[in-house]
Amino acid sequence: MTDTSNTSESTAPASALTDKERELIAQMPYEEARDKLIQAVQALETGGLNLDQSMRQWEIGEALAKRAQGLLNDVRAKLDQAQADQAANQATAGTQSNLD
């Protein structure tokens, strides 16, 4: 029989969030994700949580931060594309190739 209690392999801890909770977070608009992230941070800063509660708040905060950052990245990409399109249009405005 092999004893695996002292192996160097690390296993990821079980998630405190359910698939449904993760799906809800993945569908949240930016403002809601931001507000709930603030609440999670405040809960951690206030203290008084046991270890399991703290870990759950941390995991919620991580998921919310990822959602909010993803939405901000999407907006940044759209703004960058709009600026690139505008610059391209200005470069050809009033040229013969634009009039054809």
Side-chain angles (χ1 to χ4, degrees):
M1 176 176 239
T2 304
D3 181 13
T4 59
S5 61
N6 291 326
T7 63
S8 60
E9 283 185 42
S10 63
T11 58
S15 174
L17 299 180
T18 65
D19 289 342
K20 184 175 181 176
E21 289 171 319
R22 289 189 181 281
E23 182 63 29
L24 288 172
I25 290 171
Q27 299 301 318
M28 282 183 188
Y30 172 78
E31 293 79 4
E32 184 178 356
R34 180 202 58 215
D35 292 346
K36 289 189 179 295
L37 174 57
I38 291 168
Q39 292 171 1
V41 169
Q42 288 173 340
L44 287 167
E45 289 178 342
T46 300
L49 302 174
N50 66 34
L51 181 59
D52 288 337
Q53 292 167 328
S54 294
M55 289 304 298
R56 179 170 169 72
Q57 286 302 311
W58 179 269
E59 195 167 347
I60 288 169
E62 286 289 323
L64 291 165
K66 183 177 177 181
R67 172 64 177 159
Q69 189 60 55
L71 290 167
L72 289 174
N73 291 345
D74 291 347
V75 169
R76 171 53 62 195
K78 288 176 184 177
L79 288 173
D80 290 346
Q81 184 60 52
Q83 288 175 333
D85 291 347
Q86 184 179 25
N89 288 337
Q90 287 176 346
T92 61
T95 64
Q96 186 63 36
S97 64
N98 194 30
L99 300 175
D100 293 335

